[in-house]
Amino acid sequence: MATTERRIEAADRLVARMLPALGTELRDGRVSAGHSLERMAGLVGRSRAHLARIERGESREVTVRDLARIAAVVGLDLSVRLYPAGPPLRDAAHTALLETLRSALSPTLGWRLEVPLPNAGDRRAFDAVITGVGDPIVVEAETRIRDLQALHRRISLKCRDGGMNRVILLVKRSATNREILGTADASFWSAYPIPAVRALRALREGRDPRGSAVIVR
């Protein structure tokens, strides 16, 4: 909980810094375009008071739509991007899924959670890494598969950038996940060639599974 609270507080501080800067740019753009607040209010469909609060960086109800519409009127483009900022805050289901595999491992094997990628500036992390079986094995856990190809691509890129060549894709047992896995083609399964039963047995016995696998738990 403390980690969650710290991240939320950091997000609030970021917003508190960004809104005044955006408001100043929008006000300068409005003045340069020769629009009054009343004229802007009519053009973007918001009240004069609301626009004044946005320009002062005081509005806590401003939306991306508000910012984009105001920017468009004064000749600016709003750009919004998201960047990796460290591992996401996992929910209880994700944590429990990882524990189902950790508890099944031989005590001779090592287990590390949230292992950061080694590249400077890269804030991504592997969900877990198993050690003690030759080359380390990445564990990526998924409680709800939505896009199997996108998931496989994301894991492949992380492994490539992290210098890892073996992965356990750990999937929560559910009808939806099984249905999606059932649609996977040969190219997907070629990346995870070790049968789940064989991989799990090897890990329970402290042996090298000798490849990547999909394990449903």
Side-chain angles (χ1 to χ4, degrees):
M1 181 61 71
T3 299
T4 301
E5 291 173 351
R6 285 196 298 272
R7 290 202 184 180
I8 296 299
E9 289 169 359
D12 287 341
R13 290 194 296 270
L14 175 62
V15 171
R17 292 195 303 271
M18 289 176 59
L19 289 181
L22 287 170
T24 297
E25 290 188 54
L26 293 174
R27 183 185 65 242
D28 291 347
R30 175 178 62 78
V31 172
S32 296
H35 293 306
S36 66
L37 275 172
E38 288 80 3
R39 171 67 172 160
M40 284 293 298
L43 290 171
V44 302
R46 299 292 268 171
S47 71
R48 180 189 186 283
H50 181 64
L51 295 187
R53 287 194 296 273
I54 291 175
E55 290 189 354
R56 293 195 300 268
E58 297 173 353
S59 176
R60 293 298 179 266
E61 299 176 358
V62 62
T63 66
V64 173
R65 184 172 183 269
D66 284 338
L67 297 174
R69 288 168 67 89
I70 297 168
V73 170
V74 302
L76 299 171
D77 283 327
L78 177 68
S79 176
V80 179
R81 293 286 304 275
L82 297 174
Y83 300 91
L89 298 173
R90 305 299 187 182
D91 60 19
H94 187 271
T95 300
L97 178 58
L98 285 167
E99 178 60 21
T100 65
L101 181 60
R102 188 209 64 77
S103 63
L105 298 181
S106 165
T108 64
L109 301 182
W111 175 268
R112 297 169 57 204
L113 287 171
E114 299 294 352
V115 178
L117 271 67
N119 312 312
D122 193 331
R123 297 185 177 184
R124 291 173 296 171
F126 298 117
D127 288 348
V129 171
I130 300 169
T131 57
V133 284
D135 291 339
I137 302 174
V138 167
V139 178
E140 289 289 299
E142 198 71 20
T143 58
R144 172 70 165 85
I145 301 175
R146 291 173 175 81
D147 185 328
L148 187 60
Q149 293 305 315
L151 172 63
H152 175 51
R153 185 165 53 251
R154 173 172 59 80
I155 292 173
S156 297
L157 288 174
K158 284 174 68 175
C159 288
R160 182 200 68 186
D161 296 342
M164 300 289 199
N165 55 28
R166 297 191 298 173
V167 60
I168 297 295
L169 172 53
L170 181 63
V171 178
K172 181 178 176 60
R173 188 185 306 277
S174 72
T176 298
N177 287 341
R178 283 190 173 278
E179 181 179 353
I180 292 174
L181 286 172
T183 67
D185 58 20
S187 64
F188 173 84
W189 290 112
S190 68
Y192 304 93
I194 307 301
V197 172
R198 188 194 307 171
L200 196 53
R201 181 186 302 120
L203 293 172
R204 280 177 172 150
E205 296 173 357
R207 295 185 290 105
D208 189 344
R210 300 188 180 281
S212 298
V214 176
I215 295 179
V216 178
R217 299 285 284 175

